[in-house]
Amino acid sequence: MAIMDSLRRFVAHEPVIAACCLLVGVNGIFLPAVVRPILDSYEAAKQVPQPALNDVVAGMTGKK
């Protein structure tokens, strides 16, 4: 129970720091779990399809 008493005293004496710690903890869970997959799907949608190998070879030799 000593840990809970220490935590209560800390929150009572330093409410701003306690709130910041809480926000950092929530963001540390929220950002990787929710935002990263959204950004990954957005990046995947922007990718350009690769050209066919025949087109690449023809471009290197100058033949079409």
Side-chain angles (χ1 to χ4, degrees):
M1 212 45 166
I3 295 174
M4 289 301 292
D5 292 335
S6 299
L7 185 59
R8 283 188 189 120
R9 272 189 256 123
F10 175 73
V11 171
H13 290 287
E14 302 291 342
V16 174
I17 295 175
C20 289
C21 290
L22 182 65
L23 288 173
V24 167
V26 169
N27 283 336
I29 294 170
F30 176 78
L31 289 176
V34 176
V35 176
R36 189 75 240 169
I38 293 171
L39 291 176
D40 289 344
S41 67
Y42 179 70
E43 289 294 323
K46 290 191 332 184
Q47 289 181 351
V48 177
Q50 291 185 346
L53 185 58
N54 293 337
D55 295 339
V56 174
V57 172
M60 291 175 63
T61 61
K63 299 177 184 175
K64 276 263 176 170

